[in-house]
Amino acid sequence: MFDFKYFTPTKVIFGKNTEAKVAELIKEFGGTKILIHYGGGSVVRSGLLKRVTDTLDASGISYVTLGGAVPNPHLGLVYEGIELCKKEGVDFLLAVGGGSAIDSAKAIGYGVANGGDVWDFYDYKRKAEGCLPLGVILTIAATGSEMSDSSVITKEEGLVKRGYSSDFSRAKFAIMNPELTMTLPDYQTACGCTDIMMHTMERYFTNGGNMELTDALAEGLLRTVKKNAIILRDDPQNYDARAEVMWAGSLAHNGLTGCGNDGGDWMTHKLEHELGGLYDVAHGAGLAAIWGSWARYVYKNCLPRFKKFALNVMDVENSGTDEEIALRGIEAMEDFYRSINMPTNLRELGVEATEEDLKVMAHKCAIGVGGEMGSAKVLNEEAMLAIYRASM
Ligand code: NZQ
Ligand code: ZN
């Protein structure tokens, strides 16, 4: 087991109608002039944005709004948000939406709190020294950005998708009302469940030290999401299943399932980020499309973990060699993806990449990770290309 740091400063307000507490929470954390940042309009159509602004109006809290954060959020809107915040004297950010609105808000927060070009942080050129305080009203259980230290932004020029992580961006509060996720398209619900599971699987398939308690939490989380993803496929309005998945989303990416291991593998995410940048696919679907190929490429180098996963999460039969059990676990996971209508290769994802496209993605991915990366197995550019090829 490795030493670890666990820092989760986000105050979580979970349950029905919790968005009514937003003004109270903003005041608690000292916000006086707010930027409400949201996505493409689902929060307008659902009436949530109106409820939020009504609550702020009633509490005398001043705000400006900026919508338009697209899935795989763009740097251009981040620059716009930074200028707006400076012009209006914004001192607190409120993201209302999913990972894209939250990540875009975090980037705006970095841009306001630090001078210079905010892309420098995502381009690994320098480190942030602060971020505007942020609150979140979550509308999709998926990325865990409401409690994570990460923000992922796409630079339109060159379609470069990069993440930046620092504790400065951890939300002050996260309002999580599972009912708000009931308007999600089924596809996005399934994408979210996939992403949640992947955040824990990235930390689970490692060759670093491992901790029994962390493994138990991780396996319990994975089983819970697997079960409730199926319930939501058949009954999208099921409150308890929405709640299980929503809380799992936060715990999957707030560091809890990484305590005691080496921080995680993260190569499925890195490979997906190139797909998201180039083809603008939904993050969760991109992960599902690449995972099986990654798993088959690396499993022999991380066999005990793949066997444990097969037995404790996927409930496969405990017979045959360790390799056979591990492979049955990978197949069972792909069957699960198919059962919730997630793709298991790039074609099913709708990506018709040429050999040249795959080479470009592998090259960009290798640059993005500084040459090579991985814990289950360290991957270089050649290995990344092999996985992309296998996922076609
Ligand atoms: O934009 P709107 O109109 O709100 O519609 C969104 C969007 O089309 C819609 N949606 C969200 N809540 C809804 C809803 N539609 C109806 N009812 C609701 N209640 O769903 C679509 C997807 O939303 P988005 O915010 O893009 O999804 P998600 O939360 O999956 O975020 C994806 C982004 O986060 C990044 C991904 O790479 C991607 O860019 N990630 C961020 C992480 C982090 N910050 O920690 C970690 C992740 O691994 C991930 O990389
Ligand atoms: Zn993710």
Side-chain angles (χ1 to χ4, degrees), residues 40-42 99-100 103 139 145 148 150 161 180 183 199 269 273 283:
S42 70
S100 296
D103 286 6
T139 64
S145 186
S148 84
S150 319
K161 183 174 174 178
L180 297 179
T183 51
H199 291 155
H269 264 78
H273 280 174
H283 173 61

Side-chain angles (χ1 to χ4, degrees), residues 291 309-310 314 316 324-334:
W291 184 79
F309 172 80
M314 302 315 294
V316 308
E324 284 164 353
I325 293 170
L327 283 170
R328 277 206 293 278
I330 295 169
E331 277 160 28
M333 188 68 200
E334 288 182 319

Side-chain angles (χ1 to χ4, degrees), residues 95-310:
V96 186
S100 296
I102 303 169
D103 286 6
S104 183
K106 288 177 177 178
I108 292 170
Y110 284 130
V112 176
N114 302 272
D117 186 352
V118 70
W119 184 251
D120 287 353
F121 305 126
Y122 296 81
D123 212 13
Y124 320 120
K125 288 199 176 121
R126 60 192 174 111
K127 287 191 171 165
E129 287 168 7
C131 185
L132 272 191
L134 164 78
V136 170
I137 301 179
L138 189 65
T139 64
I140 170 173
T143 64
S145 186
E146 67 279 5
M147 283 185 92
S148 84
D149 64 353
S150 319
S151 156
V152 187
I153 299 294
T154 298
K155 184 181 189 176
E156 298 89 322
E157 186 195 337
L159 296 174
V160 186
K161 183 174 174 178
R162 292 274 182 273
Y164 181 67
S165 301
S166 91
D167 283 334
F168 293 122
S169 74
R170 292 201 193 253
K172 300 292 177 204
F173 67 81
I175 290 175
M176 292 187 227
N177 175 357
E179 283 184 328
L180 297 179
T181 67
M182 288 183 184
T183 51
L184 277 169
D186 295 342
Y187 183 73
Q188 289 295 340
T189 298
C191 284
C193 291
T194 303
D195 192 22
I196 293 166
M197 293 179 79
M198 269 313 310
H199 291 155
T200 284
M201 287 155 69
E202 295 277 21
R203 293 170 167 95
Y204 187 89
F205 293 113
T206 57
N207 276 311
N210 294 114
M211 192 178 183
E212 200 177 310
L213 176 60
T214 298
D215 282 357
L217 290 167
E219 288 165 4
L221 188 150
L222 292 170
R223 283 196 303 271
T224 300
V225 179
K226 185 161 78 82
K227 176 180 160 191
N228 285 284
I230 302 285
I231 294 176
L232 289 177
R233 177 196 65 189
D234 301 333
D235 179 14
Q237 305 301 307
N238 187 309
Y239 179 84
D240 288 342
R242 289 279 177 198
E244 297 280 359
V245 167
M246 194 172 219
W247 188 221
S250 301
L251 299 187
H253 204 32
N254 75 356
L256 182 67
T257 60
C259 295
N261 67 36
D262 67 358
D265 181 89
W266 296 107
M267 274 313 302
T268 308
H269 264 78
K270 297 296 180 188
L271 292 162
E272 190 288 327
H273 280 174
E274 299 310 324
L275 286 170
L278 206 56
Y279 299 101
D280 206 18
V281 296
H283 173 61
L287 293 171
I290 211 86
W291 184 79
S293 304
W294 169 84
R296 286 192 179 81
Y297 195 87
V298 308
Y299 78 97
K300 287 183 189 161
N301 294 66
C302 193
L303 199 52
R305 310 293 297 165
F306 274 91
K307 180 183 175 189
K308 199 166 145 69
F309 172 80

